[in-house]
């Protein structure tokens, strides 16, 4: 029964991460941090490439369980939910604002030792906030108009490098890899390529393979640095994460302007209080579930 619960929980965690990763302005890393498995997620990614055989095995098992949920969530986002994020963008934006508002105090509580008495590190929170706001402002002007229909060598190289950078954002709480893909002009082309592949159009497969290789490169080179940072500079990183999460509120507000057919930014008039409250309730429920499961694990 315990094993079944663990599988279901990890798949659910991966599913939630994928939903967040697929929406510009939201980060899957935020979900991982909130649900209390962020360190395990980062350590597992690093162990998969650098750990001993036992560490590699444990990491692979954990990431497979997480990955199954992530794939299900991402496919749902790329197909069923993609229309929802377009037609109900203000409701979804309000939902994710509820997520972030509810998540920040919970994360501060979880990492209280990293914040208490180390208030000089608030400068890192400011830097994190400015970083996310800056990236968001750039997202309205992509650096390159990418055409994946007829890719050349430069396009493949561009996709490779962009994916490597974007995955670093996807594992960082508060900064959205999808927003970075928007800046690089790749978000819509990649999402469309995934839809084409699901329709059995295999002409887009080479580009998606290169994109996947770029993701692996990003994980190999960045995650090790992040793991070391969490051990040696945890307070600074936690402050940065909180700053990025606050900055992500601005990203979510501006999210509707980054759609394929841009819409007006979220305003008080278009803000959906019901979905905002639902977001808060969901996060509160997940926190209760996390604490309950944590207590069960400690007892056993």
């Amino acid at each position: 029964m315990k094993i079944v619960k663990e599988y279901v929980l990890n798949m659910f965690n991966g599913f939630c991460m994928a939903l967040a990763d697929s929406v510009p302005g939201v980060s899957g890393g935020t979900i991982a941090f909130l649900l209390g498995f962020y360190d395990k997620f980062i350590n597992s990614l690093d162990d998969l490439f650098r750990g001993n055989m036992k560490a590699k095995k444990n990491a692979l098992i954990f990431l497979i369980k997480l990955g199954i949920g992530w794939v299900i969530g991402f496919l749902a986002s790329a197909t069923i939910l993609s229309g929802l994020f377009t037609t109900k963008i203000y409701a979804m934006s309000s939902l994710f604002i509820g997520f972030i508002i509810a998540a920040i105090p919970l994360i501060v509580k979880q990492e209280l030792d990293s914040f208490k008495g180390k208030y000089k590190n608030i400068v890192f929170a400011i830097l994190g906030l400015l970083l996310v706001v800056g990236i968001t402002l750039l997202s309205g002007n992509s650096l390159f108009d990418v055409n994946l229909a007829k890719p050349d060598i430069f396009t493949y190289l561009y996709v490779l490098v962009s994916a490597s950078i974007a995955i670093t954002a996807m594992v960082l709480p508060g900064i959205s890899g999808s927003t970075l893909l928007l800046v690089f002009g790749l978000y819509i082309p990649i999402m469309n390529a995934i839809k084409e592949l699901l329709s059995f159009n295999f002409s887009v497969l080479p580009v998606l393979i290169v994109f996947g290789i770029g993701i692996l490169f990003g994980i190999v080179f960045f995650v090790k640095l992040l793991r070391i940072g969490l051990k040696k500079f945890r307070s600074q990183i936690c402050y940065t994460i909180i700053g990025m999460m606050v900055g992500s509120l601005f990203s979510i507000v501006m999210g509707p302007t980054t759609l394929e057919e841009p819409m007006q930014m979220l305003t008080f008039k278009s803000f959906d209080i019901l979905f905002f409250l639902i977001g808060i309730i969901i996060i509160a429920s997940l926190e209760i579930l996390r604490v309950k499961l944590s207590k069960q694990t400690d007892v056993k």
Side-chain angles (χ1 to χ4, degrees), residues 6-267:
E6 187 179 342
Y7 267 91
V8 172
L9 180 62
N10 284 322
M11 287 174 63
F12 176 74
N13 288 342
F15 181 84
C16 292
M17 283 186 71
L19 294 186
D21 280 329
S22 62
V23 182
V26 188
S27 168
T30 302
I31 299 297
F33 210 90
L34 169 66
L35 296 182
F37 67 94
Y38 186 72
D39 283 75
K40 185 175 182 180
F41 172 57
I42 295 299
N43 293 341
S44 295
L45 286 175
D46 190 44
D47 285 341
L48 187 63
F49 296 98
R50 294 185 176 88
N52 55 40
M53 286 305 298
K54 183 178 179 180
K56 286 180 184 289
K57 181 181 178 181
N58 291 335
L60 183 61
I61 292 173
F62 171 72
L63 291 173
I64 285 176
K65 290 183 287 189
L66 195 69
I68 292 172
W70 194 95
V71 169
I72 294 172
F74 190 80
L75 291 177
S77 296
T79 53
I80 302 170
L81 295 181
S82 60
L84 183 62
F85 287 127
T86 301
T87 59
K88 300 291 184 181
I89 185 62
Y90 297 119
M92 300 307 296
S93 297
S94 302
L95 179 74
F96 280 107
I97 287 177
F99 284 173
I100 302 299
I101 293 294
I104 290 175
L106 292 177
I107 290 175
V108 171
K109 181 182 176 182
Q110 290 175 28
E111 294 289 336
L112 191 59
D113 290 341
S114 298
F115 294 103
K116 192 175 181 180
K118 301 171 183 175
Y119 305 117
K120 64 180 181 180
N121 288 334
I122 197 170
V123 65
F124 289 94
I126 296 172
L127 291 174
L129 186 152
L130 293 176
L131 175 63
V132 176
V133 170
I135 290 174
T136 302
L137 292 175
L138 281 174
S139 66
N141 302 286
S142 62
L143 300 176
F144 182 59
D145 186 16
V146 184
N147 182 7
L148 300 185
K150 296 180 180 179
D152 53 20
I153 296 295
F154 176 78
T155 302
Y156 282 120
L157 182 61
Y158 186 78
V159 169
L160 181 73
V161 174
S162 298
S164 299
I165 297 173
I167 191 61
T168 63
M170 287 182 178
V171 299
L172 276 173
I175 184 168
S176 168
S178 296
T179 299
L180 276 185
L181 289 179
L182 278 169
V183 173
F184 296 138
L186 276 174
Y187 179 74
I188 292 173
I190 289 296
M191 293 298 282
N192 287 338
I194 293 172
K195 290 180 183 178
E196 289 295 319
L197 184 64
L198 293 176
S199 300
F200 302 103
N201 178 4
F202 295 103
S203 64
V204 298
L205 187 58
V207 171
L208 292 178
I209 290 175
V210 171
F211 186 77
I213 293 173
I215 289 175
L216 290 177
F217 275 137
I219 291 174
V220 170
F221 290 108
F222 175 75
V223 170
K224 180 63 175 180
L225 295 176
L226 185 57
R227 184 176 189 177
I228 294 173
L230 284 169
K231 287 183 178 180
K232 296 185 176 181
F233 308 102
R234 192 171 188 90
S235 176
Q236 292 89 331
I237 289 180
C238 285
Y239 268 100
T240 303
I241 286 170
I242 291 298
M244 290 192 295
M245 289 181 68
V246 173
S248 70
L249 294 174
F250 176 72
S251 297
I252 295 171
V253 168
M254 298 299 294
T257 67
T258 64
L259 295 173
E260 190 169 1
E261 295 183 6
M263 300 172 64
Q264 292 293 319
M265 60 180 279
L266 181 68
T267 63

Side-chain angles (χ1 to χ4, degrees), residues 243-299:
M244 290 192 295
M245 289 181 68
V246 173
S248 70
L249 294 174
F250 176 72
S251 297
I252 295 171
V253 168
M254 298 299 294
T257 67
T258 64
L259 295 173
E260 190 169 1
E261 295 183 6
M263 300 172 64
Q264 292 293 319
M265 60 180 279
L266 181 68
T267 63
F268 285 110
K269 186 177 181 180
S270 55
F271 181 76
D272 194 315
I273 186 64
L274 176 60
F275 276 83
F276 171 74
L277 293 175
I278 290 174
I280 291 177
I281 291 171
I282 290 174
I283 293 301
S285 301
L286 290 175
E287 173 64 7
I288 293 171
L289 176 63
R290 184 190 70 80
V291 171
K292 183 178 180 180
L293 290 173
S294 178
K295 288 181 178 179
Q296 289 179 356
T297 302
D298 291 339
V299 171

